[in-house]
Amino acid sequence: MHRRQLLAGGAGLGALIATHPQRALAAPAKRLGHDGFPMPQPARTLPQPLLVQDPSRTLLERGWRFHEGDVVPPMPDTHNATYLSVKAGNALGAAAMTFDDSDWKAVRLPHDWAAAQPFLETANVSQGYRPRGIAWYRRTLQLDPADRGKTIELHFDGIATNATIWVNGSTVAHNWSGYNSVHIDLTPFARFGDETNVIAIRVDANAMEGWWYEGAGLYRHAWLVRRAPVAIVTDGVHCDPRKGEDGRWQVPVTATLANTGRDPASVTVEALLLDPDGKTVASGRADASVPVLQQAEATLKLDAGNSQLWSVETPTLYTVVTRVLRDGSPVDERRTPVGFRTIRFDADRGFFLNDQPVKLKGVCLHQDHAGVGVAVPDALIAWRLERLKAMGCNAIRCTHNAPNAELLDLCDRMGFLVMDENRHFNPAPDYMEQLEWLVRRDRNHPSVILWSVFNEEPMQGTEAGVEMVRRMAATVHRLDGARPVTAAMNGSFYDPVNVSTVVDVMGFNYYQADYDRFHQLNPTKPITSSEDTSAFETRGAYESIPAGHVITSYDEEAASWGGTHRDTWREIAKRPFVAGGFVWTGFDYHGEPTPYDWPTIASFFGILDLCGFPKTAFDIHRAHWIDDEAVVGIAPHWTWPGREGQTIPVFVSSNAETVLLRLNGRDLGVQKVDRIMGNEWQVPYQPGRIEALAMRGGKVVATAVHETAGAPVALRLTPARTVMAGDGEDVQPITVDAIDARGRHVPTVNQMAQFTVEGAEIIGVGNGDPNSHEPEHGDRRSLFNGLAQLIVRAAPGKGTITLSATADGLKPARLTISRLATQAPPQVPVTPPTMTIGEWRRSPAMAERPDPAIAPPDGDNNSWAFVRSGTPTRPEASAGWRVYRAAFRPWKRVGAEGGTIRFDSIGGTAELWLDGQKLATKASAAPGPLVADIPAGTGPRRVALLVSAPANSPSGILGKVTVTTR
Ligand code: GAL
């Protein structure tokens, strides 16, 4: 094709042919799909909320404090300071419990701090030219005394990238991957009631695990887990249905239990199988004894009989409810969605789902979206999957790492087949743990059909590589006897030693010319393309402009190792022995700006752009992949003022039999549909209406239309949904475009638009231009080739969301969206950070009132006890005195202005001294508070509390001690 002469969709071209600006604007919904506006009709209902699978988990996403940059504590400079600094609970600097984070920024999770960074030429190209760096998060957490005795965990579903986590001044986790969950057993560290807990996390996002944008921070969900002392461990239910020889279904259930209590426990595990209507259709029980601080398994089988099958078209889900009963009462419960389906990879005939051949029409995905970076909210993930479903896509490869758990829940529900991929090619224990975690977490999902242990590893053709894969595959098979293992290879397939010999399914990344030869040489080895295509398109551009880093979306350009969308699918489609393919990629992502670099900051590979706006490839794949509905797409748009009379290649993709192209009612000829390669007409441009009529049996079965737009006169806002959940979590993308006087989408507008919103908040903006350096946070964004996107998060509660968009010279757009009263997922309440003095030195008992200056000599860590406030001293037979000492640095405001020190409860009479000055006295011996003003001063401030305890009564610092502003 010779298109180089063609067309630049430059800014403001439409302005040349303004018509009838006085006419009333058409209602947006009416115009959808009829004027080249590429987004679907807004849905009128809320999506189903994601399942709560584990009622013991509560989101821990509010009330975090964030500091960008490292906080390096001074090194201890004396022997004693060193001695103390390495003790449990005594972490220094920002990891210390008493650290002043009062001026840190309040943030909520999921949070990707890199998404707010500017693009810098000096930053890493693969990471999208965004500096990532180091940052800290802290959160204060209060636990109900009723939770004492429970098993308590913290879960972070993903932290980019290297993280060290402290709880109450003790290191509780080092985590070295941004793609696995971190589960922390908080039980031994937990403090209850008035005593607060402090979580501190240092995140080093300079570390790279990928060659794509990986974001930075706590970018997936975070949870507080509270369970009975004898309960199912995290990811501890395995209940993947199996079909017996007799054709009947069974669900083998294994529950792994743990006991954090003080006594061995005998429990019963009960499992119920609920059908899609929630009716119990099978149940079973098994007993287990769980020794103290150990684990035990309970196994049973549910006889599911002839269950409705799970498939891509009908993703029917059942639920396994697994309960732990202690003395007959339920103490723990998990709900696990399951699907009844069989899977099989056949060396000659590809993939079979429920014994039917299903070609994998897949895409590779990174977790990343315009505006939000890697912190993609669940509702946006759901929306992205809907876009893929609308394209006929039935398979997803999670590249090159474990996805977030919610993606798989959605894939189960929506009927996607998933290749679940591990990040690190390494069988050493630290990394094997990550692989084991992945399999344990994901092995119940009907959507998951394949485990991938690596992507493109240079050691794939070596003896060591083979040994590594053997071990990793064995681990996967030990944990999951039902799914095959693959590895995404990019070469070495014919080397005498190579990993294809030790995987169940051969995964080809590219190398399409080798499909046949490999198949001949390995006739019993099933094959799939694990990755292919790597074609380049700029959305809305129909001419490549190398100097401007713009790439035509006529599906002409691809990486040297890849192929166009059409050439690639042709090779996969015609070979039954190739199970299917995974296009690189479904959506654009930040980073990897191949084939360019600076100033390009995002990829060109997507079938949809970074905002999820479709490129021409979207229509091409619809034609390739959709069988049950006639489709037709037409490119380019038809607004080319100044090009009158020039030839424009018109590209049509359809799955019908024939296509008739019409320009302004005039037939331009019928062509037999080439479903793979598409059809093309050379059309002398004339403004008006170009339509492609797709036909079967002589009947029009689908049409695609573009009309020449006039000058833009107004902005338009089109939501994905007309309703949002008022649960404080719901998010949706809103499309911004400009329309002409007749309400038609103008595909050439590149103007800056400004947004205001009430009843919701803008969490990101984008436009799909890989060359744009406009910030992705804020309230303004240029349209790019006619489109921009803002992503809004609804405020909590019932109400109305009002959005408006303005741009110079255009009539503003206004949009209202209803916010429905919806129950919010439970969140752990926010505990405002307060300075507490928790750690004290306590003198031995003394018969006489001591000098308030008395203190153990520096370095004597033995003569005086280390005690925590809230811990009474055992009653003594005779009255006596004790001194409590602590040193603290007041938080900044108190240091500057002075403040108040408050002892919630002191047992005994007391004198309070600060820096050698007496501040207050407590006259009554009965337990009660003591409050005093403290003068300004940054410290360290030295407190001494002299307590005179009466005989036979608890004494000392019985409650919390806080230092606050006045
Ligand atoms: C592949 C690789 C992907 C991506 C792609 C770009 O080799 O697996 O992660 O880099 O190339 O074409």
Side-chain angles (χ1 to χ4, degrees):
M1 283 191 269
H2 300 285
R3 294 204 176 97
R4 302 272 183 241
Q5 75 281 13
L6 188 78
L7 303 181
L13 287 179
L16 298 175
I17 49 167
T19 49
H20 313 299
Q22 74 282 13
R23 267 206 215 167
L25 301 177
K30 257 197 175 165
R31 309 302 310 178
L32 291 174
H34 295 289
D35 60 355
F37 180 70
M39 300 310 284
Q41 291 276 4
R44 297 186 184 284
T45 50
L46 289 180
Q48 222 190 324
L50 280 177
L51 289 181
V52 176
Q53 296 173 20
D54 178 352
S56 64
R57 296 194 312 181
T58 312
L59 288 168
L60 182 66
E61 301 195 331
R62 311 287 170 81
W64 287 87
R65 300 256 159 180
F66 173 69
H67 170 81
E68 209 181 309
D70 203 0
V71 180
V72 183
M75 293 280 277
D77 54 358
T78 64
H79 171 68
N80 193 42
T82 311
Y83 171 96
L84 292 172
S85 72
V86 297
K87 299 294 176 184
N90 280 5
L92 300 173
M97 285 197 74
T98 52
F99 182 81
D100 179 6
D101 59 20
S102 53
D103 57 353
W104 286 16
K105 192 174 164 200
V107 295
R108 62 180 273 182
L109 312 184
H111 181 244
D112 171 5
W113 87 73
Q117 299 294 323
F119 301 102
L120 296 181
E121 192 171 2
T122 47
N124 181 275
V125 44
S126 307
Q127 301 282 344
Y129 293 104
R130 271 177 168 154
R132 298 167 75 218
I134 293 172
W136 284 79
Y137 293 86
R138 284 171 58 93
R139 195 197 194 276
T140 309
L141 170 70
Q142 218 157 0
L143 293 170
D144 193 324
D147 291 333
R148 195 173 252 125
K150 290 185 184 165
T151 300
I152 301 179
E153 291 180 4
L154 288 175
H155 292 181
F156 297 97
D157 287 353
I159 307 177
T161 288
N162 291 352
T164 309
I165 306 176
W166 291 262
V167 169
N168 299 340
S170 289
T171 314
V172 293
H174 296 287
N175 190 63
W176 307 127
S177 175
Y179 299 105
N180 61 272
S181 296
V182 188
H183 299 152
I184 294 160
D185 182 6
L186 200 67
T187 324
F189 302 97
R191 300 179 181 192
F192 299 89
D194 274 354
E195 275 200 286
T196 46
N197 300 274
V198 175
I199 306 164
I201 307 181
R202 180 182 185 270
V203 184
D204 176 354
N206 285 319
M208 283 187 265
E209 296 179 276
W211 49 94
W212 55 90
Y213 173 76
E214 299 185 274
L218 309 184
Y219 74 100
R220 288 181 178 170
H221 287 306
W223 309 86
L224 175 69
V225 178
R226 282 163 292 189
R227 295 191 186 123
V230 180
I232 300 167
V233 301
T234 297
D235 299 328
V237 177
H238 187 195
C239 57
D240 191 25
R242 298 284 193 278
K243 192 174 180 180
E245 295 288 307
D246 58 358
R248 290 178 66 80
W249 285 96
Q250 292 207 317
V251 188
V253 180
T254 302
T256 306
L257 307 157
N259 180 357
T260 59
R262 290 173 178 251
D263 302 302
S266 296
V267 295
T268 302
V269 170
E270 175 187 65
L272 309 175
L273 179 67
L274 311 186
D275 72 9
D277 298 325
K279 204 170 105 228
T280 304
V281 290
S283 65
R285 286 183 165 218
D287 292 331
S289 308
V290 198
V292 172
L293 296 179
Q294 291 189 45
Q295 295 195 346
E297 282 187 350
T299 55
L300 59 96
K301 270 204 172 95
L302 298 174
D303 187 1
N306 299 313
S307 306
Q308 298 170 56
L309 296 182
W310 182 94
S311 69
V312 168
E313 298 76 23
T314 320
T316 308
L317 290 177
Y318 286 62
T319 305
V320 173
V321 179
T322 313
R323 286 192 188 126
V324 180
L325 309 176
R326 209 169 166 185
D327 302 322
S329 309
V331 293
D332 189 31
E333 178 180 305
R334 297 287 188 288
R335 300 175 83 85
T336 315
V338 295
F340 294 88
R341 91 284 183 274
T342 60
I343 56 168
R344 171 161 62 91
F345 282 86
D346 183 281
D348 291 318
R349 297 172 60 205
F351 177 69
F352 284 74
L353 182 67
N354 300 323
D355 293 322
Q356 301 296 317
V358 174
K359 198 84 172 175
L360 302 177
K361 302 163 177 172
V363 297
C364 297
L365 290 186
H366 284 317
Q367 179 174 328
D368 187 5
H369 192 91
V372 294
V374 295
V376 189
D378 297 344
L380 195 54
I381 289 180
W383 178 83
R384 285 161 61 92
L385 291 175
E386 282 161 19
R387 304 297 292 134
L388 296 176
K389 199 79 185 172
M391 187 171 74
C393 168
N394 67 10
I396 284 161
R397 175 173 172 222
C398 307
T399 44
H400 300 294
N401 50 262
N404 59 337
E406 294 73 25
L407 178 112
L408 295 181
D409 290 339
L410 288 161
C411 287
D412 288 348
R413 271 193 207 175
M414 296 172 74
F416 284 101
L417 304 162
V418 175
M419 183 193 295
D420 202 349
E421 190 158 290
N422 175 55
R423 175 71 294 269
H424 294 285
F425 182 39
N426 191 334
D430 278 4
Y431 295 95
M432 204 67 122
E433 229 176 75
Q434 292 172 15
L435 178 63
E436 291 190 16
W437 159 81
L438 171 76
V439 178
R440 279 214 177 83
R441 187 194 67 169
D442 295 348
R443 62 188 168 173
N444 296 318
H445 287 281
S447 56
V448 175
I449 58 161
L450 201 51
W451 305 106
S452 163
V453 292
F454 76 58
N455 174 67
E456 299 186 348
E457 287 290 342
M459 285 168 77
Q460 62 205 353
T462 65
E463 191 183 346
V466 168
E467 289 307 312
M468 286 157 75
V469 168
R470 270 190 350 110
R471 281 160 182 75
M472 294 172 78
T475 294
V476 173
H477 288 316
R478 173 169 56 78
L479 295 172
D480 177 25
R483 292 168 185 81
V485 168
T486 190
M489 294 182 72
N490 63 337
S492 302
F493 328 114
Y494 310 121
D495 291 348
V497 175
N498 79 76
V499 306
S500 72
T501 55
V502 289
V503 291
D504 306 309
V505 175
M506 164 65 193
F508 268 96
N509 274 17
Y510 311 94
Y511 283 91
Q512 294 202 291
D514 284 274
Y515 290 165
D516 294 332
R517 182 169 169 221
F518 184 90
H519 182 50
Q520 274 156 22
L521 293 172
N522 303 277
T524 59
K525 179 74 69 181
I527 295 176
T528 185
S529 158
S530 35
E531 186 177 319
D532 47 71
T533 314
S534 278
F536 308 125
E537 292 186 7
T538 302
R539 193 259 309 149
Y542 298 94
E543 181 189 29
S544 290
I545 308 170
H549 294 195
V550 173
I551 307 183
T552 173
S553 55
Y554 274 115
D555 191 31
E556 288 180 331
E557 299 196 19
S560 54
W561 54 91
T564 63
H565 292 273
R566 293 167 295 161
D567 288 344
T568 300
W569 185 248
R570 184 185 57 221
E571 299 310 312
I572 295 169
K574 71 183 178 204
R575 290 179 172 82
F577 68 87
V578 177
F582 291 89
V583 175
W584 191 267
T585 44
F587 294 83
D588 281 338
Y589 49 95
H590 295 92
E592 200 168 32
T594 312
Y596 296 114
D597 50 26
W598 184 262
T600 306
I601 51 88
S603 75
F604 293 88
F605 294 116
I607 298 172
L608 300 113
D609 73 14
L610 201 51
C611 298
F613 296 134
K615 306 179 186 175
T616 309
F618 185 80
D619 281 335
I620 292 174
H621 285 285
R622 273 166 63 80
H624 289 170
W625 288 349
I626 292 180
D627 290 320
D628 55 359
E629 175 201 344
V631 298
V632 62
I634 183 169
H637 62 76
W638 208 242
T639 301
W640 301 102
R643 304 283 167 146
E644 286 77 4
Q646 292 180 21
T647 301
I648 294 182
V650 173
F651 176 76
V652 174
S653 26
S654 176
N655 59 1
E657 288 166 1
T658 56
V659 182
L660 163 66
L661 194 70
R662 255 190 208 151
L663 176 60
N664 295 331
R666 190 164 46 88
D667 287 1
L668 299 179
V670 175
Q671 292 189 21
K672 186 167 174 305
V673 163
D674 184 335
R675 190 173 170 185
I676 298 277
M677 299 308 287
N679 294 74
E680 212 181 307
W681 284 256
Q682 300 299 324
V683 181
Y685 177 65
Q686 195 183 76
R689 177 182 172 89
I690 190 146
E691 18 180 5
L693 310 176
M695 294 185 289
R696 277 191 190 143
K699 275 210 187 111
V700 176
V701 285
T703 55
V705 180
H706 288 307
E707 284 181 27
T708 306
V713 299
L715 288 177
R716 171 168 63 177
L717 290 167
T718 308
R721 282 185 263 123
T722 57
V723 287
M724 291 187 81
D727 61 359
E729 302 287 327
D730 195 13
V731 159
Q732 69 159 324
I734 312 279
T735 303
V736 189
D737 74 333
I739 49 178
D740 71 4
R742 291 173 57 196
R744 290 177 302 208
H745 170 66
V746 188
T748 50
V749 177
N750 289 323
Q751 216 176 315
M752 177 63 78
Q754 191 113 24
F755 316 113
T756 57
V757 58
E758 276 165 37
E761 131 190 51
I762 300 173
I763 59 166
V765 292
N767 66 14
D769 177 3
N771 299 321
S772 172
H773 291 181
E774 290 175 13
E776 293 187 50
H777 285 180
D779 58 0
R780 61 206 312 260
R781 188 73 195 199
S782 300
L783 276 66
F784 172 63
N785 291 339
L787 297 170
Q789 179 176 75
L790 59 149
I791 300 160
V792 293
R793 178 166 55 210
K798 185 171 153 59
T800 303
I801 298 167
T802 315
L803 287 135
S804 71
T806 55
D808 285 349
L810 300 181
K811 189 174 167 221
R814 231 179 109 83
L815 172 70
T816 54
I817 296 166
S818 307
R819 226 173 50 219
L820 307 183
T822 318
Q823 192 163 10
Q827 289 276 354
V828 176
V830 172
T831 309
T834 316
M835 171 152 204
T836 58
I837 307 176
E839 314 297 329
W840 297 83
R841 297 296 300 277
R842 185 186 65 199
S843 73
M846 288 171 268
E848 303 297 329
R849 177 185 176 277
D851 180 345
I854 188 175
D858 188 40
D860 178 350
N861 292 307
N862 301 63
S863 312
W864 286 38
F866 289 86
V867 293
R868 220 189 257 171
S869 49
T871 322
T873 300
R874 185 198 290 272
E876 307 269 0
S878 50
W881 291 82
R882 284 180 192 270
V883 183
Y884 290 79
R885 300 195 68 91
F888 71 98
R889 284 184 185 280
W891 286 5
K892 291 175 196 79
R893 260 190 72 194
V894 174
E897 300 166 10
T900 304
I901 184 166
R902 179 188 165 86
F903 291 76
D904 277 3
S905 179
I906 295 172
T909 60
E911 292 171 31
L912 173 61
W913 292 71
L914 181 74
D915 300 330
Q917 301 293 319
K918 188 164 171 187
L919 288 189
T921 319
K922 176 172 174 273
S924 157
L930 177 62
V931 181
D933 280 350
I934 53 176
T938 49
R941 316 291 298 270
R942 297 182 196 286
V943 200
L945 185 77
L946 274 59
V947 177
S948 162
N952 301 318
S953 48
S955 71
I957 304 175
L958 307 183
K960 201 168 53 173
V961 183
T962 49
V963 179
T964 52
T965 49
R966 262 174 231 147

